[in-house]
Amino acid sequence: MEEVQLMKGNEAVAHAAIRCGSDGYFGYPITPQSEIMETLMAERPWETTGMVVLQAESEVASIYMVFGGAATGKKVLTTSSSPGVSLMQEGISFACGADLPCLLVNVMRGGPGLGTIQPSQSDYFQSVKGGGHGDYKLITLAPASVQEMADFVELGFQLSFKYRIPCMMLSDGVIGQMMEKVVLPPFKPRRTQEELLEQCPWAATGKTEDRERIVITSLDLDPYRMEKKNEERQSRYRLVEATEVRYEEFMCTDADYLIVAFGSAARICQNAVESLRAEGIKVGLLRPITLWPFPGKILAKYAEKVRFMLTVELNAGQMVEDVRLSVNGKVPVYHYGRMGGIVPTPEEVSTAFNKYL
Amino acid sequence: MKEEIIIAGFGGQGVLSMGKILAYAGLISEKEVTWMPAYGPEQRGGTANVTVILSDSKISSPVLNTFDTAIILNQQSLQKFESKVRPGGVLLYDPHGISSPPTRTDIAIYTIHAMDTATEMNNTKAFNMIVLGAFLKIKPIVDIQAVLTGLKKSLPERHHHLIPMNEKALQKGFDVVQKA
């Protein structure tokens, strides 16, 4: 049996990255996710698996190091927190325009601007609506436990490489900083160059006699070709929307009311649901695990049965817009949130819920 | 079994590490565990606190408003958390430096003279283990052996020679805790 360990979500990301055979990590320290690079530096994977760990001079540099690594088909990642992820937006848009797979992790803190260093979920829009320019999407995974922060590293890479869409793990200060039990994924060797050539024929690996030159770029001055490229990309987005939606239901089957929350807010809401249930109120919790693709269909289904929905987010109301779009006016959708790094307690959620009863 | 604990005091008193050792002991006792520190400005030069939950079943929220037990190591934290102990719960505090002691009558209040005891033992670093020993006397949710194994896991090997000293401190806390 695999060893059960106790560690922070941030530390789990670092260990999982080494274990799943990542080729490189490029980052710049920022609270509340600095433990990721600290753990990687302490583990020294360059001496064991050969994984590169590099502290870049800024987040702008680290995202372009990721772009470079990804262009050669390598499994590369960067991690940061809200202000740092804002700096990366241009590079993220470029990676999407060049259809490069990579893993990005945002351990969100309060904003806007430098904001605070405490937990927040106010980068939902930035992640799922495109924080940079152009028609693009990021596969966005929202972990709600240390175990999921570990598991979503490999899942993120798999999805990203399968569809050639960058994947964002959207975590927050609560999940990154808390310690919980975790079973780390088993060790998997890094891909050999032969495996890479076979699995990533699109990668810039050096021209050989037997094939055409590969150019990785997001630029094409011919608008007709550019539209074709966009259409092909959009068709992949439709495929992801049709096949990769993930969510978790908690006490939903007989629910008269539904709370919708992701990440740390979902953990808090689960506690609130338990105490509301103890009072005899039939409330359930739906936790989107993929924020894009968004679990809109299941919400539309619940809109047929429940009296109202309440989204609870550590922000001013962002995911609530997607929930409203999904239920299309069938039931009222309310929002409760705290901002600036304040994390609501389960009691606050119950009180907010009871206002609408 | 489910025990929700807040440990609060000054940064440097070993608040976070005490919580960590307790969490490790929970892990060894095959319980579900969460350890959620206040990592914000509190930690940077003021009070530090950590929420530790040990439970037989899956833990939902790592963030709580009220607690079964508050372990309080300075005046500010006492002011902040005395009201957050659930009726029938436990408040354990070190009277050292406390000018206005707790006043609630619906909770069980205990004192542990950990600062004085640590000074007597000529080992101020044992402070947090004395407090932990006191807590485990009141609420034996994990056994001392699990704590010692937890300590071994959370300490780097070069510090393992300090484990007997920590065991002594735990025992001391066990012996000197008092009902207020």
Side-chain angles (χ1 to χ4, degrees):
Chain A
M1 208 183 82
E2 275 293 326
E3 192 194 352
V4 181
Q5 299 184 60
L6 189 67
M7 64 175 70
K8 289 187 173 193
N10 289 337
E11 294 164 341
V13 167
H15 287 289
I18 300 169
R19 282 167 174 252
C20 78
S22 303
D23 296 304
Y25 171 95
F26 310 96
Y28 188 80
I30 180 169
T31 305
Q33 63 81 56
S34 296
E35 292 87 356
I36 300 177
M37 189 158 45
E38 283 167 13
T39 306
L40 285 166
M41 290 295 183
E43 290 292 312
R44 308 171 77 84
W46 55 91
E47 289 175 356
T48 51
T49 71
M51 175 186 177
V52 172
V53 182
L54 187 68
Q55 177 174 334
E57 66 268 37
S58 72
E59 290 86 348
V60 178
S62 53
I63 190 65
Y64 283 106
M65 289 175 182
V66 165
F67 186 104
T72 65
K74 297 290 185 189
K75 245 174 131 168
V76 288
L77 74 152
T78 185
T79 67
S80 190
S81 178
S82 309
V85 178
S86 289
L87 282 169
M88 294 184 188
Q89 290 305 318
E90 179 197 65
I92 293 172
S93 168
F94 278 36
C96 291
D99 302 308
L100 294 178
C102 56
L103 180 66
L104 318 162
V105 180
N106 182 356
V107 183
M108 290 181 279
R109 60 189 244 183
L114 279 178
T116 54
I117 58 172
Q118 275 118 334
S120 175
Q121 297 181 322
S122 50
D123 305 344
Y124 176 91
F125 281 153
Q126 185 192 56
S127 303
V128 306
K129 309 286 181 197
H133 59 282
D135 279 315
Y136 77 81
K137 290 286 185 190
L138 297 176
I139 296 172
T140 304
L141 301 170
S145 63
V146 172
Q147 185 65 55
E148 284 190 341
M149 272 190 91
D151 293 345
F152 289 0
V153 173
E154 175 60 12
L155 176 65
F157 273 126
Q158 274 175 14
L159 293 171
S160 187
F161 271 89
K162 184 171 176 191
Y163 298 102
R164 289 182 65 191
I165 300 169
C167 179
M168 171 66 81
M169 191 200 301
L170 194 65
S171 185
D172 62 63
V174 173
I175 310 294
Q177 286 293 328
M178 77 168 166
M179 291 206 307
E180 266 188 325
K181 276 157 79 162
V182 59
V183 176
L184 293 173
F187 273 103
K188 199 168 100 177
R190 287 171 53 230
R191 274 198 301 224
T192 62
Q193 196 59 19
E194 290 70 36
E195 288 167 335
L196 191 154
L197 287 170
E198 194 194 307
Q199 292 165 24
C200 307
W202 48 264
T205 46
K207 185 180 173 338
T208 49
E209 293 275 324
D210 56 341
R211 66 163 166 78
E212 284 298 298
R213 201 161 62 100
I214 286 168
V215 181
I216 303 279
T217 178
S218 60
L219 177 75
D220 194 331
L221 292 176
D222 178 342
Y224 295 99
R225 274 206 306 265
M226 184 48 81
E227 186 177 47
K228 281 269 164 291
K229 272 191 176 176
N230 268 282
E231 282 169 357
E232 186 279 325
R233 189 173 302 123
Q234 291 295 326
S235 70
R236 270 183 284 134
Y237 291 165
R238 299 295 89 78
L239 187 61
V240 170
E241 284 167 343
T243 52
E244 302 295 352
V245 172
R246 286 168 168 79
Y247 57 88
E248 187 183 59
E249 292 165 284
F250 178 70
M251 298 192 160
C252 284
T253 37
D254 64 338
D256 293 331
Y257 312 93
L258 197 65
I259 295 180
V260 188
F262 68 95
S264 61
R267 292 285 293 265
I268 294 156
C269 289
Q270 193 181 324
N271 197 313
V273 166
E274 285 163 358
S275 50
L276 288 165
R277 281 267 173 183
E279 295 167 25
I281 301 164
K282 285 187 182 172
V283 52
L285 169 68
L286 192 132
R287 171 172 80 92
I289 294 171
T290 49
L291 301 180
W292 187 82
F294 191 69
K297 276 188 188 151
I298 184 76
L299 286 168
K301 208 186 91 190
Y302 279 114
E304 306 285 343
K305 318 171 33 180
V306 302
R307 282 176 224 167
F308 68 76
M309 295 188 188
L310 172 72
T311 75
V312 177
E313 307 171 62
L314 310 189
N315 61 38
Q318 300 193 12
M319 183 178 67
V320 65
E321 293 189 4
D322 284 332
V323 177
R324 284 186 182 139
L325 274 175
S326 306
V327 308
N328 201 17
K330 278 240 164 63
V331 289
V333 180
Y334 307 112
H335 168 263
Y336 176 71
R338 295 295 302 263
M339 290 174 281
I342 298 292
V343 180
T345 60
E347 286 81 359
E348 280 180 70
V349 172
S350 301
T351 309
F353 174 87
N354 282 326
K355 271 206 315 218
Y356 297 108
L357 269 189
Chain B
M1 178 294 256
K2 189 176 191 183
E3 179 74 15
E4 298 172 329
I5 307 156
I6 179 92
I7 310 173
F10 287 119
Q13 279 180 319
V15 166
L16 297 188
S17 54
M18 191 198 320
K20 205 177 265 189
I21 293 159
L22 189 56
Y24 271 109
L27 173 83
I28 288 153
S29 315
E30 294 185 353
K31 299 199 182 304
E32 294 300 324
V33 181
T34 61
W35 175 92
M36 178 68 213
Y39 64 87
E42 298 103 315
Q43 201 189 348
R44 280 143 222 243
T47 58
N49 70 68
V50 61
T51 304
V52 179
I53 307 174
L54 271 67
S55 173
D56 288 330
S57 53
K58 214 177 153 210
I59 298 164
S60 46
S61 179
V63 180
L64 299 166
N65 191 41
T66 57
F67 306 91
D68 298 314
T69 299
I71 301 175
I72 301 298
L73 304 172
N74 67 10
Q75 185 69 53
Q76 287 110 300
S77 302
L78 183 62
Q79 263 141 358
K80 194 166 167 192
F81 293 111
E82 182 182 354
S83 61
K84 307 278 186 189
V85 180
R86 291 179 194 132
V90 165
L91 193 156
L92 169 67
Y93 76 104
D94 185 343
H96 187 94
I98 299 285
S99 46
S100 41
T103 53
R104 278 178 66 179
T105 51
D106 60 337
I107 56 175
I109 297 173
Y110 295 84
T111 58
I112 174 70
H113 288 271
M115 195 62 91
D116 298 342
T117 310
T119 314
E120 273 165 37
M121 286 172 79
N122 219 356
N123 194 343
T124 47
K125 281 190 177 153
F127 171 75
N128 63 349
M129 295 304 282
I130 298 171
V131 177
L132 184 57
F135 167 68
L136 291 173
K137 172 76 179 285
I138 305 164
K139 288 211 168 169
I141 50 169
V142 286
D143 62 48
I144 296 281
Q145 213 46 50
V147 175
L148 294 174
T149 317
L151 204 53
K152 230 178 199 166
K153 281 209 163 198
S154 59
L155 280 179
E157 205 145 314
R158 63 178 192 280
H159 290 147
H160 278 189
H161 66 281
L162 297 172
I163 288 173
M165 179 274 285
N166 280 290
E167 189 174 0
K168 234 171 81 188
L170 277 169
Q171 190 56 52
K172 200 77 194 175
F174 228 76
D175 298 339
V176 301
V177 62
Q178 283 173 344
K179 187 115 199 244

